[in-house]
PDB file of all heavy atoms in Angstrom:
ATOM      1  N   LEU A1187      20.051   7.662   8.308  1.00 78.00           N
ATOM      2  CA  LEU A1187      20.895   7.555   9.489  1.00 78.00           C
ATOM      3  C   LEU A1187      20.375   6.520  10.479  1.00 78.00           C
ATOM      4  O   LEU A1187      21.153   5.681  10.963  1.00 78.00           O
ATOM      5  CB  LEU A1187      21.047   8.923  10.157  1.00 78.00           C
ATOM      6  CG  LEU A1187      21.904   8.966  11.414  1.00 78.00           C
ATOM      7  CD1 LEU A1187      23.303   8.407  11.141  1.00 78.00           C
ATOM      8  CD2 LEU A1187      21.996  10.399  11.945  1.00 78.00           C
ATOM      9  N   PRO A1188      19.075   6.515  10.821  1.00 85.00           N
ATOM     10  CA  PRO A1188      18.575   5.454  11.710  1.00 85.00           C
ATOM     11  C   PRO A1188      18.829   4.051  11.167  1.00 85.00           C
ATOM     12  O   PRO A1188      19.075   3.125  11.943  1.00 85.00           O
ATOM     13  CB  PRO A1188      17.072   5.747  11.794  1.00 85.00           C
ATOM     14  CG  PRO A1188      16.965   7.211  11.577  1.00 85.00           C
ATOM     15  CD  PRO A1188      18.030   7.530  10.570  1.00 85.00           C
ATOM     16  N   SER A1189      18.786   3.889   9.846  1.00 85.00           N
ATOM     17  CA  SER A1189      19.039   2.558   9.286  1.00 85.00           C
ATOM     18  C   SER A1189      20.471   2.115   9.569  1.00 85.00           C
ATOM     19  O   SER A1189      20.725   0.946   9.880  1.00 85.00           O
ATOM     20  CB  SER A1189      18.763   2.551   7.779  1.00 85.00           C
ATOM     21  OG  SER A1189      19.773   3.237   7.058  1.00 85.00           O
ATOM     22  N   GLY A1190      21.421   3.045   9.462  1.00 77.00           N
ATOM     23  CA  GLY A1190      22.808   2.712   9.760  1.00 77.00           C
ATOM     24  C   GLY A1190      23.022   2.383  11.227  1.00 77.00           C
ATOM     25  O   GLY A1190      23.761   1.457  11.568  1.00 77.00           O
ATOM     26  N   LEU A1191      22.377   3.138  12.109  1.00 80.00           N
ATOM     27  CA  LEU A1191      22.496   2.871  13.546  1.00 80.00           C
ATOM     28  C   LEU A1191      21.816   1.564  13.922  1.00 80.00           C
ATOM     29  O   LEU A1191      22.336   0.774  14.723  1.00 80.00           O
ATOM     30  CB  LEU A1191      21.898   4.035  14.337  1.00 80.00           C
ATOM     31  CG  LEU A1191      22.586   5.396  14.177  1.00 80.00           C
ATOM     32  CD1 LEU A1191      21.806   6.478  14.909  1.00 80.00           C
ATOM     33  CD2 LEU A1191      24.021   5.338  14.688  1.00 80.00           C
ATOM     34  N   LEU A1192      20.641   1.325  13.352  1.00 85.00           N
ATOM     35  CA  LEU A1192      19.897   0.108  13.661  1.00 85.00           C
ATOM     36  C   LEU A1192      20.630  -1.134  13.180  1.00 85.00           C
ATOM     37  O   LEU A1192      20.537  -2.209  13.792  1.00 85.00           O
ATOM     38  CB  LEU A1192      18.503   0.182  13.039  1.00 85.00           C
ATOM     39  CG  LEU A1192      17.509  -0.934  13.388  1.00 85.00           C
ATOM     40  CD1 LEU A1192      17.278  -0.990  14.895  1.00 85.00           C
ATOM     41  CD2 LEU A1192      16.195  -0.714  12.650  1.00 85.00           C
ATOM     42  N   ALA A1193      21.380  -0.997  12.084  1.00 81.00           N
ATOM     43  CA  ALA A1193      22.121  -2.135  11.539  1.00 81.00           C
ATOM     44  C   ALA A1193      23.155  -2.656  12.523  1.00 81.00           C
ATOM     45  O   ALA A1193      23.487  -3.847  12.514  1.00 81.00           O
ATOM     46  CB  ALA A1193      22.799  -1.736  10.229  1.00 81.00           C
ATOM     47  N   GLU A1194      23.668  -1.786  13.381  1.00 77.00           N
ATOM     48  CA  GLU A1194      24.648  -2.227  14.357  1.00 77.00           C
ATOM     49  C   GLU A1194      24.026  -3.164  15.390  1.00 77.00           C
ATOM     50  O   GLU A1194      24.729  -3.957  16.021  1.00 77.00           O
ATOM     51  CB  GLU A1194      25.271  -1.019  15.049  1.00 77.00           C
ATOM     52  CG  GLU A1194      26.068  -0.123  14.104  1.00 77.00           C
ATOM     53  CD  GLU A1194      26.613   1.112  14.789  1.00 77.00           C
ATOM     54  OE1 GLU A1194      26.387   1.255  16.011  1.00 77.00           O
ATOM     55  OE2 GLU A1194      27.267   1.926  14.109  1.00 77.00           O
ATOM     56  N   ARG A1195      22.720  -3.108  15.538  1.00 82.00           N
ATOM     57  CA  ARG A1195      22.034  -3.963  16.511  1.00 82.00           C
ATOM     58  C   ARG A1195      21.448  -5.218  15.881  1.00 82.00           C
ATOM     59  O   ARG A1195      21.540  -6.301  16.456  1.00 82.00           O
ATOM     60  CB  ARG A1195      20.914  -3.173  17.206  1.00 82.00           C
ATOM     61  CG  ARG A1195      21.404  -2.062  18.118  1.00 82.00           C
ATOM     62  CD  ARG A1195      20.213  -1.356  18.759  1.00 82.00           C
ATOM     63  NE  ARG A1195      20.634  -0.363  19.735  1.00 82.00           N
ATOM     64  CZ  ARG A1195      20.849  -0.610  21.027  1.00 82.00           C
ATOM     65  NH1 ARG A1195      20.657  -1.839  21.493  1.00 82.00           N
ATOM     66  NH2 ARG A1195      21.231   0.334  21.848  1.00 82.00           N
ATOM     67  N   VAL A1196      20.828  -5.068  14.712  1.00 83.00           N
ATOM     68  CA  VAL A1196      20.101  -6.204  14.126  1.00 83.00           C
ATOM     69  C   VAL A1196      20.756  -6.738  12.858  1.00 83.00           C
ATOM     70  O   VAL A1196      20.332  -7.777  12.350  1.00 83.00           O
ATOM     71  CB  VAL A1196      18.632  -5.816  13.828  1.00 83.00           C
ATOM     72  CG1 VAL A1196      17.936  -5.333  15.080  1.00 83.00           C
ATOM     73  CG2 VAL A1196      18.561  -4.764  12.737  1.00 83.00           C
ATOM     74  N   GLY A1197      21.764  -6.063  12.341  1.00 80.00           N
ATOM     75  CA  GLY A1197      22.417  -6.511  11.124  1.00 80.00           C
ATOM     76  C   GLY A1197      21.811  -5.904   9.878  1.00 80.00           C
ATOM     77  O   GLY A1197      20.638  -5.514   9.862  1.00 80.00           O
ATOM     78  N   GLU A1198      22.612  -5.844   8.816  1.00 84.00           N
ATOM     79  CA  GLU A1198      22.159  -5.194   7.588  1.00 84.00           C
ATOM     80  C   GLU A1198      21.179  -6.043   6.786  1.00 84.00           C
ATOM     81  O   GLU A1198      20.294  -5.505   6.131  1.00 84.00           O
ATOM     82  CB  GLU A1198      23.366  -4.855   6.693  1.00 84.00           C
ATOM     83  CG  GLU A1198      24.250  -3.730   7.220  1.00 84.00           C
ATOM     84  CD  GLU A1198      25.396  -4.238   8.062  1.00 84.00           C
ATOM     85  OE1 GLU A1198      25.389  -5.453   8.387  1.00 84.00           O
ATOM     86  OE2 GLU A1198      26.289  -3.436   8.392  1.00 84.00           O
ATOM     87  N   ARG A1199      21.350  -7.359   6.781  1.00 83.00           N
ATOM     88  CA  ARG A1199      20.566  -8.170   5.849  1.00 83.00           C
ATOM     89  C   ARG A1199      19.069  -8.123   6.148  1.00 83.00           C
ATOM     90  O   ARG A1199      18.248  -8.110   5.235  1.00 83.00           O
ATOM     91  CB  ARG A1199      21.072  -9.613   5.819  1.00 83.00           C
ATOM     92  CG  ARG A1199      20.895 -10.420   7.075  1.00 83.00           C
ATOM     93  CD  ARG A1199      21.181 -11.902   6.780  1.00 83.00           C
ATOM     94  NE  ARG A1199      21.180 -12.706   7.985  1.00 83.00           N
ATOM     95  CZ  ARG A1199      22.264 -13.202   8.559  1.00 83.00           C
ATOM     96  NH1 ARG A1199      23.444 -12.958   8.029  1.00 83.00           N
ATOM     97  NH2 ARG A1199      22.175 -13.932   9.648  1.00 83.00           N
ATOM     98  N   ARG A1200      18.672  -8.102   7.417  1.00 88.00           N
ATOM     99  CA  ARG A1200      17.245  -7.995   7.747  1.00 88.00           C
ATOM    100  C   ARG A1200      16.674  -6.673   7.245  1.00 88.00           C
ATOM    101  O   ARG A1200      15.558  -6.616   6.728  1.00 88.00           O
ATOM    102  CB  ARG A1200      17.038  -8.121   9.245  1.00 88.00           C
ATOM    103  CG  ARG A1200      17.362  -9.491   9.826  1.00 88.00           C
ATOM    104  CD  ARG A1200      17.033  -9.527  11.317  1.00 88.00           C
ATOM    105  NE  ARG A1200      17.299 -10.822  11.896  1.00 88.00           N
ATOM    106  CZ  ARG A1200      18.467 -11.198  12.411  1.00 88.00           C
ATOM    107  NH1 ARG A1200      19.493 -10.340  12.393  1.00 88.00           N
ATOM    108  NH2 ARG A1200      18.641 -12.392  12.926  1.00 88.00           N
ATOM    109  N   LEU A1201      17.457  -5.622   7.401  1.00 91.00           N
ATOM    110  CA  LEU A1201      16.971  -4.295   7.019  1.00 91.00           C
ATOM    111  C   LEU A1201      16.950  -4.118   5.501  1.00 91.00           C
ATOM    112  O   LEU A1201      16.091  -3.402   4.975  1.00 91.00           O
ATOM    113  CB  LEU A1201      17.849  -3.220   7.670  1.00 91.00           C
ATOM    114  CG  LEU A1201      17.865  -3.239   9.204  1.00 91.00           C
ATOM    115  CD1 LEU A1201      18.759  -2.130   9.741  1.00 91.00           C
ATOM    116  CD2 LEU A1201      16.451  -3.108   9.767  1.00 91.00           C
ATOM    117  N   LEU A1202      17.894  -4.749   4.802  1.00 91.00           N
ATOM    118  CA  LEU A1202      17.851  -4.702   3.341  1.00 91.00           C
ATOM    119  C   LEU A1202      16.582  -5.361   2.814  1.00 91.00           C
ATOM    120  O   LEU A1202      15.935  -4.860   1.888  1.00 91.00           O
ATOM    121  CB  LEU A1202      19.083  -5.391   2.757  1.00 91.00           C
ATOM    122  CG  LEU A1202      20.401  -4.618   2.834  1.00 91.00           C
ATOM    123  CD1 LEU A1202      21.577  -5.528   2.467  1.00 91.00           C
ATOM    124  CD2 LEU A1202      20.375  -3.397   1.929  1.00 91.00           C
ATOM    125  N   GLY A1203      16.214  -6.500   3.409  1.00 91.00           N
ATOM    126  CA  GLY A1203      14.971  -7.158   3.023  1.00 91.00           C
ATOM    127  C   GLY A1203      13.752  -6.328   3.358  1.00 91.00           C
ATOM    128  O   GLY A1203      12.810  -6.226   2.562  1.00 91.00           O
ATOM    129  N   PHE A1204      13.777  -5.694   4.525  1.00 93.00           N
ATOM    130  CA  PHE A1204      12.659  -4.834   4.929  1.00 93.00           C
ATOM    131  C   PHE A1204      12.485  -3.671   3.961  1.00 93.00           C
ATOM    132  O   PHE A1204      11.362  -3.318   3.571  1.00 93.00           O
ATOM    133  CB  PHE A1204      12.902  -4.299   6.344  1.00 93.00           C
ATOM    134  CG  PHE A1204      11.985  -3.179   6.743  1.00 93.00           C
ATOM    135  CD1 PHE A1204      10.682  -3.434   7.136  1.00 93.00           C
ATOM    136  CD2 PHE A1204      12.432  -1.867   6.709  1.00 93.00           C
ATOM    137  CE1 PHE A1204       9.833  -2.396   7.496  1.00 93.00           C
ATOM    138  CE2 PHE A1204      11.593  -0.822   7.069  1.00 93.00           C
ATOM    139  CZ  PHE A1204      10.285  -1.088   7.463  1.00 93.00           C
ATOM    140  N   GLY A1205      13.600  -3.067   3.547  1.00 93.00           N
ATOM    141  CA  GLY A1205      13.524  -1.934   2.630  1.00 93.00           C
ATOM    142  C   GLY A1205      12.923  -2.311   1.291  1.00 93.00           C
ATOM    143  O   GLY A1205      12.069  -1.587   0.756  1.00 93.00           O
ATOM    144  N   LEU A1206      13.339  -3.443   0.755  1.00 94.00           N
ATOM    145  CA  LEU A1206      12.791  -3.892  -0.527  1.00 94.00           C
ATOM    146  C   LEU A1206      11.304  -4.212  -0.411  1.00 94.00           C
ATOM    147  O   LEU A1206      10.509  -3.851  -1.285  1.00 94.00           O
ATOM    148  CB  LEU A1206      13.548  -5.127  -1.008  1.00 94.00           C
ATOM    149  CG  LEU A1206      14.892  -4.884  -1.694  1.00 94.00           C
ATOM    150  CD1 LEU A1206      15.650  -6.194  -1.849  1.00 94.00           C
ATOM    151  CD2 LEU A1206      14.701  -4.203  -3.039  1.00 94.00           C
ATOM    152  N   ALA A1207      10.917  -4.894   0.662  1.00 95.00           N
ATOM    153  CA  ALA A1207       9.508  -5.252   0.838  1.00 95.00           C
ATOM    154  C   ALA A1207       8.638  -4.006   0.989  1.00 95.00           C
ATOM    155  O   ALA A1207       7.546  -3.918   0.407  1.00 95.00           O
ATOM    156  CB  ALA A1207       9.348  -6.159   2.056  1.00 95.00           C
ATOM    157  N   SER A1208       9.118  -3.020   1.753  1.00 95.00           N
ATOM    158  CA  SER A1208       8.354  -1.783   1.955  1.00 95.00           C
ATOM    159  C   SER A1208       8.185  -1.013   0.658  1.00 95.00           C
ATOM    160  O   SER A1208       7.090  -0.547   0.329  1.00 95.00           O
ATOM    161  CB  SER A1208       9.047  -0.900   3.001  1.00 95.00           C
ATOM    162  OG  SER A1208       9.141  -1.561   4.244  1.00 95.00           O
ATOM    163  N   ALA A1209       9.274  -0.877  -0.098  1.00 94.00           N
ATOM    164  CA  ALA A1209       9.203  -0.165  -1.372  1.00 94.00           C
ATOM    165  C   ALA A1209       8.293  -0.895  -2.354  1.00 94.00           C
ATOM    166  O   ALA A1209       7.517  -0.273  -3.086  1.00 94.00           O
ATOM    167  CB  ALA A1209      10.600  -0.006  -1.962  1.00 94.00           C
ATOM    168  N   GLY A1210       8.388  -2.224  -2.371  1.00 95.00           N
ATOM    169  CA  GLY A1210       7.537  -2.992  -3.273  1.00 95.00           C
ATOM    170  C   GLY A1210       6.065  -2.813  -2.979  1.00 95.00           C
ATOM    171  O   GLY A1210       5.248  -2.599  -3.894  1.00 95.00           O
ATOM    172  N   LEU A1211       5.693  -2.881  -1.708  1.00 95.00           N
ATOM    173  CA  LEU A1211       4.291  -2.679  -1.326  1.00 95.00           C
ATOM    174  C   LEU A1211       3.819  -1.266  -1.657  1.00 95.00           C
ATOM    175  O   LEU A1211       2.676  -1.061  -2.084  1.00 95.00           O
ATOM    176  CB  LEU A1211       4.118  -2.962   0.167  1.00 95.00           C
ATOM    177  CG  LEU A1211       4.145  -4.438   0.582  1.00 95.00           C
ATOM    178  CD1 LEU A1211       4.121  -4.552   2.108  1.00 95.00           C
ATOM    179  CD2 LEU A1211       2.963  -5.193  -0.017  1.00 95.00           C
ATOM    180  N   ALA A1212       4.706  -0.284  -1.455  1.00 95.00           N
ATOM    181  CA  ALA A1212       4.346   1.106  -1.744  1.00 95.00           C
ATOM    182  C   ALA A1212       4.020   1.291  -3.223  1.00 95.00           C
ATOM    183  O   ALA A1212       3.047   1.972  -3.587  1.00 95.00           O
ATOM    184  CB  ALA A1212       5.478   2.035  -1.323  1.00 95.00           C
ATOM    185  N   TYR A1213       4.803   0.675  -4.096  1.00 95.00           N
ATOM    186  CA  TYR A1213       4.550   0.833  -5.526  1.00 95.00           C
ATOM    187  C   TYR A1213       3.337   0.027  -5.978  1.00 95.00           C
ATOM    188  O   TYR A1213       2.654   0.418  -6.929  1.00 95.00           O
ATOM    189  CB  TYR A1213       5.786   0.444  -6.324  1.00 95.00           C
ATOM    190  CG  TYR A1213       6.788   1.576  -6.412  1.00 95.00           C
ATOM    191  CD1 TYR A1213       7.756   1.757  -5.423  1.00 95.00           C
ATOM    192  CD2 TYR A1213       6.743   2.481  -7.458  1.00 95.00           C
ATOM    193  CE1 TYR A1213       8.657   2.804  -5.490  1.00 95.00           C
ATOM    194  CE2 TYR A1213       7.634   3.534  -7.538  1.00 95.00           C
ATOM    195  CZ  TYR A1213       8.592   3.690  -6.544  1.00 95.00           C
ATOM    196  OH  TYR A1213       9.472   4.738  -6.597  1.00 95.00           O
ATOM    197  N   LEU A1214       3.059  -1.072  -5.310  1.00 94.00           N
ATOM    198  CA  LEU A1214       1.816  -1.786  -5.600  1.00 94.00           C
ATOM    199  C   LEU A1214       0.606  -0.920  -5.268  1.00 94.00           C
ATOM    200  O   LEU A1214      -0.389  -0.899  -5.994  1.00 94.00           O
ATOM    201  CB  LEU A1214       1.766  -3.093  -4.797  1.00 94.00           C
ATOM    202  CG  LEU A1214       2.665  -4.225  -5.314  1.00 94.00           C
ATOM    203  CD1 LEU A1214       2.698  -5.365  -4.304  1.00 94.00           C
ATOM    204  CD2 LEU A1214       2.169  -4.737  -6.669  1.00 94.00           C
ATOM    205  N   CYS A1215       0.694  -0.181  -4.157  1.00 93.00           N
ATOM    206  CA  CYS A1215      -0.396   0.737  -3.789  1.00 93.00           C
ATOM    207  C   CYS A1215      -0.442   1.953  -4.706  1.00 93.00           C
ATOM    208  O   CYS A1215      -1.521   2.459  -5.039  1.00 93.00           O
ATOM    209  CB  CYS A1215      -0.230   1.182  -2.339  1.00 93.00           C
ATOM    210  SG  CYS A1215      -0.425  -0.131  -1.116  1.00 93.00           S
ATOM    211  N   LEU A1216       0.737   2.431  -5.141  1.00 92.00           N
ATOM    212  CA  LEU A1216       0.794   3.572  -6.056  1.00 92.00           C
ATOM    213  C   LEU A1216       0.067   3.266  -7.361  1.00 92.00           C
ATOM    214  O   LEU A1216      -0.546   4.151  -7.969  1.00 92.00           O
ATOM    215  CB  LEU A1216       2.257   3.932  -6.337  1.00 92.00           C
ATOM    216  CG  LEU A1216       2.514   5.068  -7.335  1.00 92.00           C
ATOM    217  CD1 LEU A1216       1.903   6.373  -6.846  1.00 92.00           C
ATOM    218  CD2 LEU A1216       4.013   5.237  -7.575  1.00 92.00           C
ATOM    219  N   ALA A1217       0.118   2.022  -7.780  1.00 90.00           N
ATOM    220  CA  ALA A1217      -0.551   1.627  -9.022  1.00 90.00           C
ATOM    221  C   ALA A1217      -2.059   1.813  -8.943  1.00 90.00           C
ATOM    222  O   ALA A1217      -2.728   1.918  -9.979  1.00 90.00           O
ATOM    223  CB  ALA A1217      -0.223   0.167  -9.343  1.00 90.00           C
ATOM    224  N   MET A1218      -2.599   1.868  -7.719  1.00 90.00           N
ATOM    225  CA  MET A1218      -4.042   2.034  -7.541  1.00 90.00           C
ATOM    226  C   MET A1218      -4.435   3.463  -7.181  1.00 90.00           C
ATOM    227  O   MET A1218      -5.623   3.753  -7.031  1.00 90.00           O
ATOM    228  CB  MET A1218      -4.542   1.071  -6.456  1.00 90.00           C
ATOM    229  CG  MET A1218      -4.340  -0.396  -6.806  1.00 90.00           C
ATOM    230  SD  MET A1218      -4.932  -1.530  -5.514  1.00 90.00           S
ATOM    231  CE  MET A1218      -3.642  -1.321  -4.278  1.00 90.00           C
ATOM    232  N   ALA A1219      -3.442   4.359  -7.017  1.00 86.00           N
ATOM    233  CA  ALA A1219      -3.730   5.736  -6.611  1.00 86.00           C
ATOM    234  C   ALA A1219      -4.305   6.535  -7.780  1.00 86.00           C
ATOM    235  O   ALA A1219      -3.829   6.420  -8.914  1.00 86.00           O
ATOM    236  CB  ALA A1219      -2.463   6.408  -6.098  1.00 86.00           C
ATOM    237  N   GLU A1220      -5.314   7.349  -7.483  1.00 81.00           N
ATOM    238  CA  GLU A1220      -5.970   8.142  -8.531  1.00 81.00           C
ATOM    239  C   GLU A1220      -6.003   9.633  -8.209  1.00 81.00           C
ATOM    240  O   GLU A1220      -6.522  10.414  -9.000  1.00 81.00           O
ATOM    241  CB  GLU A1220      -7.405   7.652  -8.744  1.00 81.00           C
ATOM    242  CG  GLU A1220      -7.485   6.205  -9.234  1.00 81.00           C
ATOM    243  CD  GLU A1220      -8.917   5.748  -9.416  1.00 81.00           C
ATOM    244  OE1 GLU A1220      -9.831   6.479  -8.956  1.00 81.00           O
ATOM    245  OE2 GLU A1220      -9.133   4.676 -10.013  1.00 81.00           O
ATOM    246  N   ARG A1221      -5.469  10.020  -7.042  1.00 86.00           N
ATOM    247  CA  ARG A1221      -5.444  11.434  -6.653  1.00 86.00           C
ATOM    248  C   ARG A1221      -4.059  11.793  -6.139  1.00 86.00           C
ATOM    249  O   ARG A1221      -3.252  10.925  -5.780  1.00 86.00           O
ATOM    250  CB  ARG A1221      -6.504  11.726  -5.588  1.00 86.00           C
ATOM    251  CG  ARG A1221      -7.935  11.515  -6.074  1.00 86.00           C
ATOM    252  CD  ARG A1221      -8.952  12.054  -5.048  1.00 86.00           C
ATOM    253  NE  ARG A1221      -8.742  11.488  -3.729  1.00 86.00           N
ATOM    254  CZ  ARG A1221      -9.233  10.325  -3.324  1.00 86.00           C
ATOM    255  NH1 ARG A1221      -9.953   9.578  -4.159  1.00 86.00           N
ATOM    256  NH2 ARG A1221      -8.997   9.874  -2.108  1.00 86.00           N
ATOM    257  N   PHE A1222      -3.783  13.086  -6.076  1.00 89.00           N
ATOM    258  CA  PHE A1222      -2.469  13.573  -5.677  1.00 89.00           C
ATOM    259  C   PHE A1222      -2.111  13.148  -4.255  1.00 89.00           C
ATOM    260  O   PHE A1222      -0.963  12.763  -3.984  1.00 89.00           O
ATOM    261  CB  PHE A1222      -2.428  15.101  -5.802  1.00 89.00           C
ATOM    262  CG  PHE A1222      -1.095  15.703  -5.426  1.00 89.00           C
ATOM    263  CD1 PHE A1222       0.042  15.437  -6.179  1.00 89.00           C
ATOM    264  CD2 PHE A1222      -0.995  16.546  -4.334  1.00 89.00           C
ATOM    265  CE1 PHE A1222       1.256  15.995  -5.844  1.00 89.00           C
ATOM    266  CE2 PHE A1222       0.222  17.108  -3.990  1.00 89.00           C
ATOM    267  CZ  PHE A1222       1.352  16.830  -4.738  1.00 89.00           C
ATOM    268  N   GLY A1223      -3.076  13.196  -3.342  1.00 89.00           N
ATOM    269  CA  GLY A1223      -2.823  12.829  -1.951  1.00 89.00           C
ATOM    270  C   GLY A1223      -2.349  11.393  -1.794  1.00 89.00           C
ATOM    271  O   GLY A1223      -1.285  11.148  -1.188  1.00 89.00           O
ATOM    272  N   PRO A1224      -3.082  10.403  -2.300  1.00 91.00           N
ATOM    273  CA  PRO A1224      -2.606   9.017  -2.217  1.00 91.00           C
ATOM    274  C   PRO A1224      -1.270   8.786  -2.919  1.00 91.00           C
ATOM    275  O   PRO A1224      -0.465   7.977  -2.462  1.00 91.00           O
ATOM    276  CB  PRO A1224      -3.736   8.236  -2.907  1.00 91.00           C
ATOM    277  CG  PRO A1224      -4.957   9.064  -2.698  1.00 91.00           C
ATOM    278  CD  PRO A1224      -4.475  10.478  -2.782  1.00 91.00           C
ATOM    279  N   VAL A1225      -1.040   9.489  -4.027  1.00 91.00           N
ATOM    280  CA  VAL A1225       0.252   9.368  -4.702  1.00 91.00           C
ATOM    281  C   VAL A1225       1.378   9.794  -3.767  1.00 91.00           C
ATOM    282  O   VAL A1225       2.412   9.121  -3.648  1.00 91.00           O
ATOM    283  CB  VAL A1225       0.271  10.210  -5.996  1.00 91.00           C
ATOM    284  CG1 VAL A1225       1.710  10.340  -6.536  1.00 91.00           C
ATOM    285  CG2 VAL A1225      -0.621   9.581  -7.050  1.00 91.00           C
ATOM    286  N   MET A1226       1.184  10.909  -3.089  1.00 92.00           N
ATOM    287  CA  MET A1226       2.195  11.410  -2.157  1.00 92.00           C
ATOM    288  C   MET A1226       2.442  10.418  -1.025  1.00 92.00           C
ATOM    289  O   MET A1226       3.583  10.194  -0.613  1.00 92.00           O
ATOM    290  CB  MET A1226       1.748  12.758  -1.597  1.00 92.00           C
ATOM    291  CG  MET A1226       1.748  13.876  -2.626  1.00 92.00           C
ATOM    292  SD  MET A1226       3.425  14.418  -3.007  1.00 92.00           S
ATOM    293  CE  MET A1226       3.829  15.260  -1.488  1.00 92.00           C
ATOM    294  N   LEU A1227       1.380   9.813  -0.505  1.00 94.00           N
ATOM    295  CA  LEU A1227       1.515   8.858   0.591  1.00 94.00           C
ATOM    296  C   LEU A1227       2.308   7.634   0.141  1.00 94.00           C
ATOM    297  O   LEU A1227       3.212   7.168   0.850  1.00 94.00           O
ATOM    298  CB  LEU A1227       0.136   8.440   1.097  1.00 94.00           C
ATOM    299  CG  LEU A1227       0.120   7.388   2.212  1.00 94.00           C
ATOM    300  CD1 LEU A1227       0.863   7.898   3.443  1.00 94.00           C
ATOM    301  CD2 LEU A1227      -1.318   7.009   2.566  1.00 94.00           C
ATOM    302  N   CYS A1228       2.004   7.121  -1.034  1.00 94.00           N
ATOM    303  CA  CYS A1228       2.712   5.944  -1.547  1.00 94.00           C
ATOM    304  C   CYS A1228       4.183   6.256  -1.801  1.00 94.00           C
ATOM    305  O   CYS A1228       5.069   5.441  -1.488  1.00 94.00           O
ATOM    306  CB  CYS A1228       2.054   5.452  -2.830  1.00 94.00           C
ATOM    307  SG  CYS A1228       0.392   4.782  -2.611  1.00 94.00           S
ATOM    308  N   VAL A1229       4.443   7.426  -2.355  1.00 93.00           N
ATOM    309  CA  VAL A1229       5.828   7.817  -2.614  1.00 93.00           C
ATOM    310  C   VAL A1229       6.595   7.976  -1.301  1.00 93.00           C
ATOM    311  O   VAL A1229       7.780   7.619  -1.208  1.00 93.00           O
ATOM    312  CB  VAL A1229       5.857   9.119  -3.435  1.00 93.00           C
ATOM    313  CG1 VAL A1229       7.264   9.688  -3.497  1.00 93.00           C
ATOM    314  CG2 VAL A1229       5.342   8.865  -4.848  1.00 93.00           C
ATOM    315  N   ALA A1230       5.926   8.482  -0.272  1.00 94.00           N
ATOM    316  CA  ALA A1230       6.576   8.628   1.034  1.00 94.00           C
ATOM    317  C   ALA A1230       6.975   7.271   1.604  1.00 94.00           C
ATOM    318  O   ALA A1230       8.081   7.090   2.123  1.00 94.00           O
ATOM    319  CB  ALA A1230       5.644   9.355   2.002  1.00 94.00           C
ATOM    320  N   ILE A1231       6.081   6.292   1.514  1.00 94.00           N
ATOM    321  CA  ILE A1231       6.384   4.945   2.014  1.00 94.00           C
ATOM    322  C   ILE A1231       7.512   4.315   1.200  1.00 94.00           C
ATOM    323  O   ILE A1231       8.401   3.653   1.744  1.00 94.00           O
ATOM    324  CB  ILE A1231       5.135   4.066   1.973  1.00 94.00           C
ATOM    325  CG1 ILE A1231       4.059   4.639   2.902  1.00 94.00           C
ATOM    326  CG2 ILE A1231       5.464   2.633   2.381  1.00 94.00           C
ATOM    327  CD1 ILE A1231       2.725   3.935   2.808  1.00 94.00           C
ATOM    328  N   ALA A1232       7.493   4.538  -0.110  1.00 94.00           N
ATOM    329  CA  ALA A1232       8.579   4.040  -0.948  1.00 94.00           C
ATOM    330  C   ALA A1232       9.910   4.659  -0.546  1.00 94.00           C
ATOM    331  O   ALA A1232      10.960   3.999  -0.588  1.00 94.00           O
ATOM    332  CB  ALA A1232       8.285   4.332  -2.420  1.00 94.00           C
ATOM    333  N   GLY A1233       9.875   5.920  -0.148  1.00 91.00           N
ATOM    334  CA  GLY A1233      11.090   6.580   0.315  1.00 91.00           C
ATOM    335  C   GLY A1233      11.639   5.960   1.582  1.00 91.00           C
ATOM    336  O   GLY A1233      12.851   5.832   1.755  1.00 91.00           O
TER     337      GLY A1233
END
């Protein structure tokens, strides 16, 4: 919901790029996770 509201101010294209970059970084970090806690943190950021 905040993404939809924020899009009215800054536009969708900036936020689409932000979402892809955030998810990409999260999965790069997930590849290095070795415990349940870090896995959960990376998955949360990907979300």
Side-chain angles (χ1 to χ4, degrees):
L1187 180 56
S1189 73
L1191 297 174
L1192 187 59
E1194 296 177 1
R1195 292 180 175 271
V1196 303
E1198 289 92 350
R1199 66 168 173 253
R1200 293 184 179 89
L1201 299 180
L1202 285 169
F1204 167 78
L1206 279 168
S1208 300
L1211 286 174
Y1213 277 87
L1214 285 170
C1215 294
L1216 177 61
M1218 298 180 286
E1220 297 179 349
R1221 296 190 306 275
F1222 181 65
V1225 167
M1226 291 286 289
L1227 177 60
C1228 293
V1229 169
I1231 297 173

